[in-house]
Amino acid sequence: MPRLFLSVDITGSTEFKARFTGQGSEAWLATFKAFFTNFPLMVAGQIGFEFLDDDHTPDISVWKVSGDEVLFQVDPKSPEEMTSILLALLRTMRMYEAKHFQELPLRLKGTAWLADVDGPNIEIEIPELSSGRGAHLDFIGPDIDLGFRIAKFARPGTIVISLDVLELIMGADNAASVAFHLAGREALKGVLFGYPYPIVWILGAEDRFDFLPWEVEADPRMAAAMAASGPTPPAELKQVIDNMRLFLKKMHGRDRPPVKLG
């Protein structure tokens, strides 16, 4: 069964740390220590809140940290469960910014993608990092790489999602609780034989972009999203997915069936 991988990254961190050049790490260390300590706890708490009335609560765990980024893994049992997980993550990002970054030049952005670790991707143990608490596992493979490719197109306050995640959520019973925004296309190294990959951001259905003015001025994707009349219609997104499948079949003889959960 495909596993959902999630990434939350701090934007503006390099410039923020540079403010304290010559002052030692103590000047900025507390901000990042608090993030890596508190944010995973807040995510788990918000997921618990999201599934308060359900019989099953997804078990989300930290996969690893990298730079100013924390990565999670979770096994959603259904498209509806995955949709709720992403809503909880979006809510946590907003709450954390409001509480901890209100007076700091830092923002949070997210990425969500799927990878089957029993198929073309593999799970491996890193013995040097394992401890008495258990094996330290890492994941490698083309679908893992995809997540890191699309992550650079995440923007503050949003989650950029893979096409598999998009297609599953569009078919979920609670799909109306989220909104999708097509933010262009980009050719990604080693992905879809160079076919421009759709960049899709997700928000809660009632949420609006909270990009800051200078962020919009510096980023054409943000500017286009702010100027759009609203979310991208599902029919348009479905056509995007159909076009991708047609390209793979016609030009490369590859079938790419829809991913299934549960």
Side-chain angles (χ1 to χ4, degrees), residues 78-125:
S78 67
E80 291 76 21
E81 190 170 297
M82 184 167 63
T83 304
S84 294
I85 290 170
L86 293 184
L87 284 170
L89 184 62
L90 282 165
R91 187 166 60 247
T92 309
M93 290 164 58
R94 292 196 305 271
M95 292 172 60
Y96 194 90
E97 279 200 24
K99 182 175 182 179
H100 296 279
F101 292 167
Q102 189 67 35
E103 298 181 3
L104 297 176
L106 301 173
R107 305 291 309 276
L108 294 177
K109 60 182 181 179
T111 305
W113 73 104
L114 290 165
D116 185 350
V117 296
D118 292 323
N121 313 280
I122 61 172
E123 181 181 79
I124 59 173
E125 180 183 354

Side-chain angles (χ1 to χ4, degrees), residues 165-182:
V165 171
L166 169 66
E167 187 171 31
L168 280 166
I169 294 180
M170 283 200 302
D173 291 341
N174 56 351
S177 62
V178 296
F180 306 103
H181 300 264
L182 180 61

Side-chain angles (χ1 to χ4, degrees), residues 8 22 160 196 215 221 224 249:
V8 177
V160 62
E215 293 174 338
R221 292 185 194 275
K249 182 65 174 178

Side-chain angles (χ1 to χ4, degrees), residues 115-138:
D116 185 350
V117 296
D118 292 323
N121 313 280
I122 61 172
E123 181 181 79
I124 59 173
E125 180 183 354
I126 310 298
E128 292 80 5
L129 298 178
S130 297
S131 67
R133 292 178 296 176
H136 181 90
L137 301 176
D138 207 347

